[in-house]
Each structure stands twice: as structure tokens, then as C-alpha cells.
Amino acid sequence: MDEPVDSKTVDPSSVDRFPKQKAFNLGDVVTDAAKILTEEERTKLEEQNKRLVTPFQALKLEQEARKHWDLFYKRNENRFFKDRHWTTREFSELLAGEDPTAAASSSPLAKSDNVEKISVEKKLLEIGCGVGNLIFPLIEDGHRDYFIYACDLSPRAVELVRKHNLYDERYMKAFACDITTEEVFQTLPEASLDIVTLIFVLSAIHPEKFQSTVANIFRLLKPGGVVLFRDYGLYDMAQLRFKPGHKIAENFYMRQDGTRSYYFAEEEVSKLFCQTGFTVMVNSYIHRRTVNPKENIDVPRIFVQGKFRKSERT
């Protein structure tokens, strides 16, 4: 059953367009409706337009995107992002074919060190793997029956993945590449993957390269393959907090460290994948409150979450 929608925070005129993601957290509102801005929030967005990132600076940010992410991981290493133990709860495709009762024995970590190669049929690619906050929890929990590929724009992030104590090239391979180009096809052939994860990654890419990125993913997937997507939603708290001088283009911003972030409308994401040839399985906003009473934190967050399938007949 759909979660009730608070008419004070989302647009009541919105009509459901696609099946919606199930709510997995108490208090989540899952909807196709964008947040309705207060007057104060509208004023904050208008203030951002008073001083924009210059075209020269915007071009430099694009040209130096790899450098900024390398510096990010040099400064933070594996201390910034938390491990994503929630992915198997919200994306059941990551559990496909797994017998939970046999997870411990079927995990590659439980097999003999004398085994040179572990045979798996399915293949997963995590785009924007960072330091492995998605793939290593999967391995720790035994929730995998596929060979894992992991790529990132930052060579430093990939090196940190390779140094992880769970990294083992018998069942995984990490490599650096720019997913907006055809560089990925130097490592992976077309129609070779069953699942691609795109979680808080597309937002870091220039909007002009969204289409080429999704087109590359389409080429990488087998017929019937699935993209698991989550990213920042329109009018998320983080978007409203940007001050003048950080806005690059509509819904696209520069952070203090030179990395960038885009904030997606739900309909925009669906259109992007549909135009590339995907079928929308589910897609919706998730309005969530991040609450930590001990630290006096109560933060409203907005994500767009979806699943997109490549046709079996492709």
C-alpha cells in the first residue's frame, strides 16, 4: 500500500506515472510528487542566482573532475562515506538466486584459499564505486552470486578498493574509467552485465553527459539486465543550503572541494532512461528524515530511486 502523502510538502496535483518504490524506513513518503517549497526556500533558491559560477570556472571544473575526486579520496580515504548495508533491502535484485540459508557456505570467503578461480555466471558493475562502500558489505553479508566489477573516475579510490582486505580478483575487478566516454569498453564488452548500480553517481556528472552515460550502460547490459538507481532529489536539503557563487546551471552546483552535485526531478530520470531504450520498473521520490537525537540532527532528505530494465528482445 502506498504511503500517505503530506500535502504540505508535496504537490497534490502530481499524478502517479510509474509503480513506486516500496517504503523501507518508518516515516518515508514514497511519491511521484515534488516537494512544495515554502516562501523562505524559494527565496534561498532565488539568492543562488545572484552570483553564478563563471563559464570559465565551470569549464575548469569539468576538465579537472578527476583531479578533484582524487583529492577528495586523498583527504578522506575510507572515512567519509558509510558502508551501504541497506542496498540488499531496497534492491532485492542484489539477492537474486541466493539461498539465504546457504549464504555463509556459498560466500567466496568461505571457500578454500587453494581455489584459483570462482565460477559465477552473473555479472555486476558498480559505477562510481568509491572505496567500496557497496561491494564490500555485499561480500561480508554473503549476498552475491555474481562476479563484481567496480569502476570509478578516481584512480586513488580504485587503489583504495584494491588494498581492502576483502578484495580478491577471483571474484571481483576494480578499475578506473570515465563512464561518460567509451573507456569502459576497454575492460567490459557490450551486453556482458546483468546488473549495473548507479547510486549517488550520476549527480556528480555534467548534465550534458547524462545521456551518453546512460547509453553506455544500456550497451553494457545484457537483454533483460537492470539498472539500480538512487540519487539526490529536487529540492533536497543539500540543494537549498548552497550559497550564491556555487550554482553552475539549473539544479547543478559546485561544492567547496570542487566536486559537483546535480538534483534530479523524478520525471526527468524516467525520461532519461526511457529515451535510451529502458523500461521503467519503478521510479519515485523518497522523502526521508534523517534523525539522530543524540546529535540533535533532524534533516529532511529527498532522493530519487528507480529500477530500469533493458528489453529481453534487444
Side-chain angles (χ1 to χ4, degrees), residues 9-256:
T9 58
V10 294
D11 184 354
S13 66
S14 176
V15 177
D16 289 354
R17 291 176 290 273
F18 301 104
K20 297 197 290 295
Q21 176 73 40
K22 178 182 176 183
F24 289 96
N25 290 274
L26 185 65
D28 278 5
V29 175
V30 181
T31 176
D32 290 329
K35 174 180 178 178
I36 294 178
L37 295 172
T38 65
E39 285 301 317
E40 181 183 358
E41 289 167 339
R42 288 185 182 279
T43 299
K44 287 181 179 180
L45 289 178
E46 291 169 1
E47 285 290 318
Q48 294 172 356
N49 293 323
K50 290 185 176 180
R51 183 160 57 90
L52 302 177
V53 171
T54 66
F56 173 81
Q57 188 179 13
L59 178 61
K60 189 175 181 182
L61 287 169
E62 174 65 17
Q63 293 172 337
E64 297 181 349
R66 189 188 303 266
K67 183 186 82 170
H68 286 300
W69 280 110
D70 250 6
L71 289 172
F72 174 90
Y73 287 110
K74 179 180 181 181
R75 181 168 56 251
N76 296 293
E77 294 188 334
N78 63 354
R79 298 182 297 272
F80 191 85
F81 297 113
K82 295 180 180 179
D83 282 350
R84 294 169 177 168
H85 288 281
W86 54 266
T87 54
T88 52
R89 183 180 70 243
E90 303 201 19
F91 295 118
S92 59
E93 288 77 6
L94 296 173
L95 299 168
E98 186 90 41
D99 177 1
T101 62
S105 61
S106 64
S107 169
L109 299 180
K111 298 185 181 292
S112 167
D113 289 339
N114 295 325
V115 177
E116 293 184 0
K117 184 178 180 181
I118 294 169
S119 178
V120 289
E121 295 181 0
K122 294 185 177 181
K123 294 179 181 179
L124 161 76
L125 169 64
E126 183 188 11
I127 297 174
C129 64
V131 296
N133 298 105
L134 184 150
I135 57 175
F136 292 126
L138 285 180
I139 295 168
E140 288 172 346
D141 295 341
H143 295 315
R144 45 162 249 99
D145 60 349
Y146 28 70
F147 190 93
I148 296 175
Y149 292 96
C151 70
D152 200 279
L153 179 65
S154 165
R156 188 178 295 274
V158 170
E159 187 60 30
L160 289 168
V161 168
R162 290 174 176 163
K163 289 179 178 179
H164 196 284
N165 65 311
L166 293 181
Y167 184 77
D168 188 333
E169 291 205 343
R170 292 178 298 170
Y171 53 88
M172 68 190 316
K173 178 180 177 63
F175 61 101
C177 85
D178 181 351
I179 193 61
T180 69
T181 71
E182 297 203 341
E183 187 179 0
V184 67
F185 298 104
Q186 297 173 15
T187 302
L188 294 170
E190 294 190 24
S192 63
L193 301 173
D194 298 278
I195 299 174
V196 171
T197 65
L198 196 63
I199 298 177
F200 298 114
V201 175
L202 198 61
S203 55
I205 293 172
H206 195 288
E208 292 179 358
K209 297 183 177 181
F210 288 166
Q211 198 72 59
S212 63
T213 299
V214 176
N216 284 342
I217 295 170
F218 188 86
R219 290 171 60 189
L220 287 167
L221 282 168
K222 299 175 183 177
V226 174
V227 181
L228 307 178
F229 177 90
R230 180 191 274 191
D231 222 317
Y232 302 111
L234 190 65
Y235 308 142
D236 177 59
M237 167 275 300
Q239 179 180 9
L240 299 175
R241 286 186 174 179
F242 281 107
K243 303 297 183 184
H246 289 264
K247 187 173 180 178
I248 302 171
E250 194 65 23
N251 301 322
F252 191 42
Y253 298 83
M254 172 191 72
R255 298 190 184 97
Q256 286 292 132

